[in-house]
Amino acid sequence: FASRDFIALYDYTETDPNQLSFKQGEVLVVIDSSSPNWWKATKSDGKEGYIPSNYVKKCEEDEDESESD
C-alpha cells in the first residue's frame, strides 16, 4: 500500500454530491487531508469526493489483526 492509502472502517453513504460513498474494507487514496474532518479521496473506480476522516484508517504494511470485535 502507498502511504496515502486508507482503508474504510465502516460503510458510508454520501449525503451531499461532493461526498464519496464507500464500503467497509474498501481502499481509498486520500489526496487532500488538510481539513481535520473531511478528506478528499479517490476510489479504485476513479470516483472522487470528500470522506469523513474518522471512517478510515491508514493502511499499515504490518497490519495487526489480533484485535477482535
Side-chain angles (χ1 to χ4, degrees), residues 12-51:
Y12 180 74
T13 303
E14 63 194 45
T15 57
D16 180 282
N18 294 322
Q19 295 173 9
L20 192 61
S21 295
F22 52 83
K23 297 285 185 203
Q24 181 179 358
E26 200 166 344
V27 174
L28 304 159
V29 178
V30 172
I31 51 180
D32 180 4
S33 58
S34 59
S35 168
N37 301 316
W38 291 94
W39 292 348
K40 193 168 199 174
T42 58
K43 297 203 304 186
S44 56
D45 63 6
K47 286 186 180 158
E48 188 177 290
Y50 287 93
I51 61 168

Side-chain angles (χ1 to χ4, degrees), residues 9-10 24 65-69:
L9 300 173
Y10 319 101
Q24 181 179 358
E65 295 293 350
S66 62
E67 297 174 11
S68 59
D69 294 346

